[in-house]
mmCIF file of all heavy atoms in Angstrom:
data_model
loop_
_atom_site.group_PDB
_atom_site.id
_atom_site.type_symbol
_atom_site.label_atom_id
_atom_site.label_comp_id
_atom_site.label_asym_id
_atom_site.label_seq_id
_atom_site.Cartn_x
_atom_site.Cartn_y
_atom_site.Cartn_z
ATOM 1 N N PHE A 139 19.536 27.871 1.486
ATOM 2 C CA PHE A 139 20.080 26.784 0.675
ATOM 3 C C PHE A 139 19.594 25.432 1.162
ATOM 4 O O PHE A 139 19.263 24.551 0.380
ATOM 5 C CB PHE A 139 21.610 26.852 0.692
ATOM 6 C CG PHE A 139 22.266 25.751 -0.085
ATOM 7 C CD1 PHE A 139 22.430 25.834 -1.453
ATOM 8 C CD2 PHE A 139 22.704 24.593 0.563
ATOM 9 C CE1 PHE A 139 23.030 24.805 -2.166
ATOM 10 C CE2 PHE A 139 23.296 23.573 -0.145
ATOM 11 C CZ PHE A 139 23.458 23.683 -1.518
ATOM 12 N N MET A 140 19.555 25.274 2.485
ATOM 13 C CA MET A 140 19.103 24.010 3.053
ATOM 14 C C MET A 140 17.635 23.747 2.703
ATOM 15 O O MET A 140 17.243 22.618 2.401
ATOM 16 C CB MET A 140 19.299 24.021 4.573
ATOM 17 C CG MET A 140 20.765 24.018 5.011
ATOM 18 S SD MET A 140 20.952 24.107 6.806
ATOM 19 C CE MET A 140 20.158 22.595 7.293
ATOM 20 N N VAL A 141 16.818 24.796 2.739
ATOM 21 C CA VAL A 141 15.402 24.635 2.376
ATOM 22 C C VAL A 141 15.255 24.226 0.914
ATOM 23 O O VAL A 141 14.483 23.317 0.574
ATOM 24 C CB VAL A 141 14.624 25.927 2.666
ATOM 25 C CG1 VAL A 141 13.203 25.831 2.119
ATOM 26 C CG2 VAL A 141 14.609 26.217 4.153
ATOM 27 N N VAL A 142 16.015 24.920 0.058
ATOM 28 C CA VAL A 142 15.963 24.585 -1.361
ATOM 29 C C VAL A 142 16.464 23.168 -1.601
ATOM 30 O O VAL A 142 15.870 22.397 -2.389
ATOM 31 C CB VAL A 142 16.781 25.599 -2.188
ATOM 32 C CG1 VAL A 142 16.880 25.146 -3.639
ATOM 33 C CG2 VAL A 142 16.153 26.978 -2.109
ATOM 34 N N ALA A 143 17.543 22.784 -0.932
ATOM 35 C CA ALA A 143 18.086 21.439 -1.100
ATOM 36 C C ALA A 143 17.099 20.374 -0.638
ATOM 37 O O ALA A 143 16.921 19.329 -1.279
ATOM 38 C CB ALA A 143 19.403 21.316 -0.326
ATOM 39 N N ALA A 144 16.429 20.641 0.504
ATOM 40 C CA ALA A 144 15.436 19.684 1.001
ATOM 41 C C ALA A 144 14.276 19.539 0.015
ATOM 42 O O ALA A 144 13.767 18.430 -0.219
ATOM 43 C CB ALA A 144 14.930 20.127 2.369
ATOM 44 N N ALA A 145 13.837 20.660 -0.569
ATOM 45 C CA ALA A 145 12.753 20.604 -1.551
ATOM 46 C C ALA A 145 13.178 19.811 -2.788
ATOM 47 O O ALA A 145 12.397 19.015 -3.340
ATOM 48 C CB ALA A 145 12.328 22.010 -1.941
ATOM 49 N N LEU A 146 14.422 20.026 -3.225
ATOM 50 C CA LEU A 146 14.908 19.294 -4.397
ATOM 51 C C LEU A 146 15.014 17.795 -4.114
ATOM 52 O O LEU A 146 14.682 16.966 -4.970
ATOM 53 C CB LEU A 146 16.269 19.850 -4.827
ATOM 54 C CG LEU A 146 16.256 21.260 -5.423
ATOM 55 C CD1 LEU A 146 17.686 21.727 -5.706
ATOM 56 C CD2 LEU A 146 15.427 21.303 -6.700
ATOM 57 N N ILE A 147 15.479 17.460 -2.915
ATOM 58 C CA ILE A 147 15.602 16.037 -2.566
ATOM 59 C C ILE A 147 14.222 15.382 -2.493
ATOM 60 O O ILE A 147 14.017 14.259 -2.962
ATOM 61 C CB ILE A 147 16.355 15.889 -1.225
ATOM 62 C CG1 ILE A 147 17.819 16.307 -1.395
ATOM 63 C CG2 ILE A 147 16.268 14.454 -0.720
ATOM 64 C CD1 ILE A 147 18.603 16.311 -0.094
ATOM 65 N N ALA A 148 13.239 16.103 -1.904
ATOM 66 C CA ALA A 148 11.880 15.558 -1.828
ATOM 67 C C ALA A 148 11.285 15.371 -3.224
ATOM 68 O O ALA A 148 10.590 14.384 -3.500
ATOM 69 C CB ALA A 148 10.998 16.480 -0.994
ATOM 70 N N THR A 149 11.556 16.323 -4.109
ATOM 71 C CA THR A 149 11.062 16.197 -5.485
ATOM 72 C C THR A 149 11.723 15.019 -6.195
ATOM 73 O O THR A 149 11.064 14.240 -6.896
ATOM 74 C CB THR A 149 11.324 17.488 -6.264
ATOM 75 O OG1 THR A 149 10.691 18.580 -5.597
ATOM 76 C CG2 THR A 149 10.790 17.382 -7.684
ATOM 77 N N ALA A 150 13.047 14.891 -5.991
ATOM 78 C CA ALA A 150 13.765 13.785 -6.634
ATOM 79 C C ALA A 150 13.275 12.436 -6.121
ATOM 80 O O ALA A 150 13.224 11.452 -6.866
ATOM 81 C CB ALA A 150 15.264 13.932 -6.397
ATOM 82 N N ALA A 151 12.876 12.389 -4.841
ATOM 83 C CA ALA A 151 12.404 11.119 -4.266
ATOM 84 C C ALA A 151 11.162 10.599 -4.967
ATOM 85 O O ALA A 151 10.915 9.383 -4.993
ATOM 86 C CB ALA A 151 12.142 11.286 -2.779
ATOM 87 N N SER A 152 10.364 11.487 -5.562
ATOM 88 C CA SER A 152 9.158 11.039 -6.264
ATOM 89 C C SER A 152 9.478 10.271 -7.541
ATOM 90 O O SER A 152 8.594 9.655 -8.129
ATOM 91 C CB SER A 152 8.267 12.241 -6.594
ATOM 92 O OG SER A 152 8.908 13.097 -7.540
ATOM 93 N N GLY A 153 10.741 10.323 -7.956
ATOM 94 C CA GLY A 153 11.126 9.600 -9.169
ATOM 95 C C GLY A 153 11.564 8.177 -8.926
ATOM 96 O O GLY A 153 11.839 7.440 -9.882
ATOM 97 N N PHE A 154 11.660 7.759 -7.677
ATOM 98 C CA PHE A 154 12.080 6.394 -7.367
ATOM 99 C C PHE A 154 10.890 5.436 -7.429
ATOM 100 O O PHE A 154 9.775 5.782 -7.012
ATOM 101 C CB PHE A 154 12.725 6.326 -5.979
ATOM 102 C CG PHE A 154 14.051 7.020 -5.889
ATOM 103 C CD1 PHE A 154 14.164 8.259 -5.283
ATOM 104 C CD2 PHE A 154 15.188 6.425 -6.417
ATOM 105 C CE1 PHE A 154 15.392 8.897 -5.198
ATOM 106 C CE2 PHE A 154 16.416 7.059 -6.339
ATOM 107 C CZ PHE A 154 16.518 8.305 -5.730
ATOM 108 N N THR A 155 11.123 4.260 -7.916
ATOM 109 C CA THR A 155 10.070 3.250 -7.995
ATOM 110 C C THR A 155 10.693 1.860 -7.990
ATOM 111 O O THR A 155 11.870 1.692 -8.336
ATOM 112 C CB THR A 155 9.216 3.427 -9.265
ATOM 113 O OG1 THR A 155 8.136 2.499 -9.239
ATOM 114 C CG2 THR A 155 10.036 3.182 -10.519
ATOM 115 N N ILE A 156 9.907 0.893 -7.581
ATOM 116 C CA ILE A 156 10.338 -0.513 -7.575
ATOM 117 C C ILE A 156 9.479 -1.274 -8.574
ATOM 118 O O ILE A 156 8.248 -1.262 -8.484
ATOM 119 C CB ILE A 156 10.199 -1.132 -6.172
ATOM 120 C CG1 ILE A 156 11.123 -0.411 -5.185
ATOM 121 C CG2 ILE A 156 10.531 -2.629 -6.217
ATOM 122 C CD1 ILE A 156 10.977 -0.898 -3.757
ATOM 123 N N VAL A 157 10.133 -1.915 -9.534
ATOM 124 C CA VAL A 157 9.434 -2.698 -10.557
ATOM 125 C C VAL A 157 9.641 -4.179 -10.244
ATOM 126 O O VAL A 157 10.778 -4.658 -10.229
ATOM 127 C CB VAL A 157 9.956 -2.367 -11.969
ATOM 128 C CG1 VAL A 157 9.172 -3.146 -13.017
ATOM 129 C CG2 VAL A 157 9.862 -0.868 -12.231
ATOM 130 N N GLU A 158 8.553 -4.883 -9.982
ATOM 131 C CA GLU A 158 8.629 -6.312 -9.675
ATOM 132 C C GLU A 158 8.788 -7.126 -10.961
ATOM 133 O O GLU A 158 8.433 -6.659 -12.047
ATOM 134 C CB GLU A 158 7.374 -6.749 -8.929
ATOM 135 C CG GLU A 158 7.199 -6.071 -7.582
ATOM 136 C CD GLU A 158 5.956 -6.543 -6.867
ATOM 137 O OE1 GLU A 158 5.165 -7.294 -7.489
ATOM 138 O OE2 GLU A 158 5.763 -6.156 -5.701
ATOM 139 N N PRO A 159 9.320 -8.359 -10.852
ATOM 140 C CA PRO A 159 9.427 -9.217 -12.046
ATOM 141 C C PRO A 159 8.055 -9.460 -12.683
ATOM 142 O O PRO A 159 7.036 -9.550 -11.985
ATOM 143 C CB PRO A 159 10.030 -10.513 -11.486
ATOM 144 C CG PRO A 159 10.734 -10.092 -10.231
ATOM 145 C CD PRO A 159 9.919 -8.975 -9.656
ATOM 146 N N ASN A 160 8.029 -9.564 -13.994
ATOM 147 C CA ASN A 160 6.802 -9.795 -14.756
ATOM 148 C C ASN A 160 5.742 -8.731 -14.483
ATOM 149 O O ASN A 160 4.548 -9.024 -14.321
ATOM 150 C CB ASN A 160 6.229 -11.190 -14.457
ATOM 151 C CG ASN A 160 7.108 -12.293 -14.990
ATOM 152 O OD1 ASN A 160 7.694 -12.173 -16.055
ATOM 153 N ND2 ASN A 160 7.232 -13.376 -14.240
ATOM 154 N N SER A 161 6.207 -7.486 -14.423
ATOM 155 C CA SER A 161 5.299 -6.356 -14.314
ATOM 156 C C SER A 161 5.933 -5.165 -15.013
ATOM 157 O O SER A 161 7.117 -5.192 -15.359
ATOM 158 C CB SER A 161 4.972 -6.023 -12.853
ATOM 159 O OG SER A 161 6.135 -5.576 -12.187
ATOM 160 N N ALA A 162 5.148 -4.133 -15.227
ATOM 161 C CA ALA A 162 5.630 -2.939 -15.912
ATOM 162 C C ALA A 162 5.055 -1.705 -15.237
ATOM 163 O O ALA A 162 4.006 -1.755 -14.591
ATOM 164 C CB ALA A 162 5.256 -2.960 -17.391
ATOM 165 N N LYS A 163 5.769 -0.606 -15.383
ATOM 166 C CA LYS A 163 5.310 0.686 -14.880
ATOM 167 C C LYS A 163 5.028 1.592 -16.071
ATOM 168 O O LYS A 163 5.916 1.872 -16.886
ATOM 169 C CB LYS A 163 6.369 1.333 -13.992
ATOM 170 C CG LYS A 163 6.653 0.596 -12.691
ATOM 171 C CD LYS A 163 5.609 0.896 -11.643
ATOM 172 C CE LYS A 163 6.002 0.280 -10.299
ATOM 173 N NZ LYS A 163 5.061 0.602 -9.227
ATOM 174 N N VAL A 164 3.778 2.033 -16.181
ATOM 175 C CA VAL A 164 3.394 2.956 -17.245
ATOM 176 C C VAL A 164 3.528 4.380 -16.703
ATOM 177 O O VAL A 164 2.943 4.716 -15.669
ATOM 178 C CB VAL A 164 1.963 2.675 -17.721
ATOM 179 C CG1 VAL A 164 1.546 3.685 -18.782
ATOM 180 C CG2 VAL A 164 1.857 1.257 -18.268
ATOM 181 N N LEU A 165 4.307 5.226 -17.395
ATOM 182 C CA LEU A 165 4.635 6.561 -16.913
ATOM 183 C C LEU A 165 3.838 7.627 -17.662
ATOM 184 O O LEU A 165 3.720 7.577 -18.892
ATOM 185 C CB LEU A 165 6.133 6.842 -17.098
ATOM 186 C CG LEU A 165 7.104 5.753 -16.615
ATOM 187 C CD1 LEU A 165 8.530 6.159 -16.934
ATOM 188 C CD2 LEU A 165 6.928 5.480 -15.129
#
């Protein structure tokens, strides 16, 4: 379970991003 949870958390971390003012992120 811990291995699966760690993999899920690492995958979820790839969805985080920082968008600066007057810029855009194309997905």
Side-chain angles (χ1 to χ4, degrees):
F139 178 83
M140 292 177 63
V141 172
V142 172
L146 291 176
I147 292 175
T149 302
S152 66
F154 291 103
T155 185
I156 297 176
V157 183
E158 297 181 353
N160 292 323
S161 66
K163 294 280 187 177
V164 177
L165 312 177

